[in-house]
Amino acid sequence: MIDFSRQYCLVIDDFQGMRTMLRDMLRELGAQRVDIAASGGEAVGMLGNHRYDIVLCDYNLGAGRTGQQLLEEAKVRNLVGPACAWIMVTAEKTSDAIMGAVEYQPDAYLIKPVTAALLETRLEKIWTRKAALQEIDQAMQAKNFSKAVALCDQRLQYDRANAGELQRLKSQILLNAGEWDRAREVYEQVLAERELPWAKTGLAKVHFHNGNYAAARDLLQQTIEENRTYLEAYDWLVRAQQQLGDAEAAEQTLVAALRLWPNSPLRQKNLGELALKRGDRDAAEQAFRKSVVVGEHSVMKSADAYLGLAKVVGANKPDEALKTLGLLQKQMAGDDIRLRAKSAEGLIYQASNNPQKAEQLAGEVGELLQGMAGKPGNEASMEAASLMLATGRRETAVELLQSVVRNNHDNRELLNQVQQVFVAANMAEEGAALVEASRQEAIELMNRGVLLAREGKIDEAVESMYQARAALPANVRVLFNFAYILITRMQQGNAPDTLRADARNALLQANRLAPGDKRFNQLMDALAKLQASP
């Protein structure tokens, strides 16, 4: 039985009468803390400020986000965890509403009209599962993945009723922590008892991360044949097919997934990019347009869809392309977005034989670069560099591209993209030399501190790693090495107080840049042990 007096509840509905009715029902059940929100935007703010135990959300929230898009955003941004009970209150019975929930499922649907008795019954049924996940949820929020896995194992020893949910959660935690072999053991154990699509897809992810793309492809194709509506399997099949160089099959897989659920902004964007690569501009334009429309109120909307649409229509419809870029800046905020939009705008003017306007935009891009607090992202840097090279600002362009190389020295695909920027500017040979020199510079900076640590010069190693991090702020290997050296220094005792926070911040940044790297889990564990020691 739920002790409602201990649960923090949120009711989301655009009609005041319905909000009041659901709030009163929860209070009758004993809830003492019940917040209400009248829109998806208001609800996002509340979800960001509080960790709710129960959410009752209407599917149709009027203008703006739907309830499904709100649930999607809450899960993508980790505003709710596995211990939260999310119930969708709806009059919708269409296939679109149900299919939209396949990937980001609520815990239950309540079809209007709702009664207090029905609400209580449904919540109590859900809570038998959710209560088992509360401690695990807390450990996940603290990024303590090892503790979360240990809690799953402890619970699995006696909680057979929730074994399936616990195994699924445990395997997902292990995947997120980069523990591929341990995740494989869980998936194989589950599949030995029962063929479940999430376990098959999970095992395919393990194959993918281990570089066994053909094995991943075969298992995902089998999963889709047996479970036609399991959309996650389509996404990973596309990735496997792309790694195997089969772009045509990847595009066909995306088309099949979009027949099931056409309102996925990310899949539509991906379809547009694949169509553009094979030269089908009409198909690319159609997909990019659809992505922009369905993504307007979705957390999955992508700047690449707007930029892709502008690129496709720019040659024949420059006015529409410029309008699309203006819409991008209204829909999405941030320095990188403004930089990418301005760069694309300048290139459109350059291609339209308007060099004066292109020069003006290049000047605005230069001002944006000078005013940015941090370094621009990889895509923004390459796009800005393309405009700078097109307008004769070689020094700024080279500096941007060298920064991309230094921070991604081991990413061959990205280095090839940098080289293509140089090729487009008729600088192929010079560009290749600059790329290689920048790559070697990054390797030297990255390794210097590690070598000093191996020689026992730990304080010098710490100083060297601070210098490396300042020079390469987005280099994942530098961030992990930085944290490792700082933790090593703290293990010796009498370390400066700032090292702990600096190591943790570096690890969190590395995890944002490269989620799923097992070094994050290992180093966070080492840091936690230091914090626990007297």
Side-chain angles (χ1 to χ4, degrees), residues 269-401:
K269 185 271 296 183
N270 291 340
L271 181 61
E273 291 175 342
L274 284 173
L276 190 59
K277 283 181 180 178
R278 65 177 174 84
D280 191 339
R281 301 180 72 86
D282 291 338
E285 179 180 342
Q286 182 180 352
F288 286 137
R289 283 190 190 281
K290 182 70 172 179
S291 180
V292 168
V293 171
V294 300
E296 182 180 1
H297 301 294
S298 170
V299 70
M300 304 303 288
K301 67 183 171 186
S302 168
D304 289 329
Y306 292 84
L307 292 160
L309 180 58
K311 181 178 180 179
V312 170
V313 304
N316 300 319
K317 307 172 189 174
D319 289 343
E320 182 183 352
L322 296 174
K323 183 179 178 181
T324 299
L325 294 171
L327 182 61
L328 166 61
Q329 294 179 80
K330 290 180 181 178
Q331 286 288 322
M332 302 178 73
D335 288 342
D336 263 32
I337 296 297
R338 292 178 61 208
L339 188 61
R340 297 186 71 185
K342 292 286 186 183
S343 299
E345 188 178 349
L347 288 168
I348 288 171
Y349 281 119
Q350 184 76 11
S352 302
N353 295 316
N354 191 340
Q356 293 84 6
K357 196 67 176 176
E359 283 283 344
Q360 178 187 330
L361 267 297
E364 292 179 20
V365 167
E367 291 176 3
L368 279 174
L369 287 167
Q370 290 179 359
M372 290 180 69
K375 295 285 187 181
N378 296 327
E379 294 295 335
S381 293
M382 289 188 288
E383 289 159 3
S386 294
L387 177 60
M388 293 303 182
L389 288 171
T391 54
R393 291 168 168 80
R394 180 185 177 282
E395 184 177 345
T396 302
V398 168
E399 183 180 339
L400 285 167
L401 295 173

Side-chain angles (χ1 to χ4, degrees), residues 40-337:
E42 186 180 3
V44 165
M46 291 182 168
L47 288 162
N49 291 328
H50 304 288
R51 202 70 177 173
Y52 290 99
D53 302 298
I54 297 170
V55 177
L56 305 182
C57 179
D58 188 36
Y59 181 84
N60 189 346
L61 295 173
R65 298 172 180 83
T66 65
Q68 180 58 45
Q69 288 173 327
L70 179 58
L71 172 60
E72 179 180 71
E73 183 166 353
K75 290 198 172 184
V76 167
R77 292 177 54 193
N78 289 319
L79 302 179
V80 296
C84 175
W86 187 295
I87 295 183
M88 200 74 78
V89 182
T90 180
E92 300 282 345
K93 297 181 181 179
T94 66
S95 61
D96 279 358
I98 301 302
M99 184 57 67
V102 166
E103 295 170 277
Y104 297 96
Q105 294 185 2
D107 294 290
Y109 284 97
L110 281 181
I111 306 300
K112 297 177 181 178
V114 179
T115 65
L118 178 60
L119 177 60
E120 182 178 18
T121 300
R122 194 61 58 88
L123 279 171
E124 287 183 348
K125 183 177 180 180
I126 293 169
W127 207 253
T128 60
R129 292 185 292 111
K130 295 297 180 179
L133 307 178
Q134 289 182 330
E135 282 189 278
I136 300 168
D137 189 2
Q138 291 169 4
M140 291 171 65
Q141 282 299 304
K143 304 283 187 188
N144 193 338
F145 297 137
S146 294
K147 181 178 180 181
V149 170
L151 288 169
C152 286
D153 286 336
Q154 290 175 18
R155 190 94 192 185
L156 279 165
Q157 291 179 9
Y158 62 89
D159 189 353
R160 301 313 302 168
N162 295 303
E165 185 69 19
L166 289 164
Q167 287 174 313
R168 183 171 184 166
L169 185 56
K170 175 185 174 181
S171 60
Q172 188 58 54
I173 296 168
L174 290 170
L175 271 183
N176 292 342
E179 299 283 353
W180 317 130
D181 291 339
R182 294 177 65 192
R184 176 204 291 270
E185 292 175 3
V186 180
Y187 291 127
E188 290 178 342
Q189 179 183 353
V190 172
L191 291 170
E193 299 177 4
R194 187 180 175 190
E195 298 255 329
L196 294 171
W198 65 262
K200 277 191 172 182
T201 302
L203 185 56
K205 292 179 191 179
V206 172
H207 288 317
F208 183 93
H209 286 300
N210 285 329
N212 300 324
Y213 304 120
R217 176 200 59 197
D218 295 345
L219 190 54
L220 290 162
Q221 287 175 336
Q222 181 185 350
T223 304
I224 290 170
E225 289 171 5
E226 297 168 353
N227 305 272
R228 191 179 69 89
T229 62
Y230 197 73
L231 288 172
E232 187 184 19
Y234 288 83
D235 294 334
W236 281 91
L237 178 56
V238 169
R239 295 179 67 176
Q241 289 166 331
Q242 287 180 304
Q243 288 292 333
L244 290 166
D246 196 346
E248 182 179 354
E251 190 170 348
Q252 290 173 355
T253 301
L254 266 176
V255 169
L258 287 164
R259 287 196 194 103
L260 293 170
W261 177 238
N263 294 334
S264 167
L266 189 57
R267 291 192 191 96
Q268 291 287 2
K269 185 271 296 183
N270 291 340
L271 181 61
E273 291 175 342
L274 284 173
L276 190 59
K277 283 181 180 178
R278 65 177 174 84
D280 191 339
R281 301 180 72 86
D282 291 338
E285 179 180 342
Q286 182 180 352
F288 286 137
R289 283 190 190 281
K290 182 70 172 179
S291 180
V292 168
V293 171
V294 300
E296 182 180 1
H297 301 294
S298 170
V299 70
M300 304 303 288
K301 67 183 171 186
S302 168
D304 289 329
Y306 292 84
L307 292 160
L309 180 58
K311 181 178 180 179
V312 170
V313 304
N316 300 319
K317 307 172 189 174
D319 289 343
E320 182 183 352
L322 296 174
K323 183 179 178 181
T324 299
L325 294 171
L327 182 61
L328 166 61
Q329 294 179 80
K330 290 180 181 178
Q331 286 288 322
M332 302 178 73
D335 288 342
D336 263 32
I337 296 297

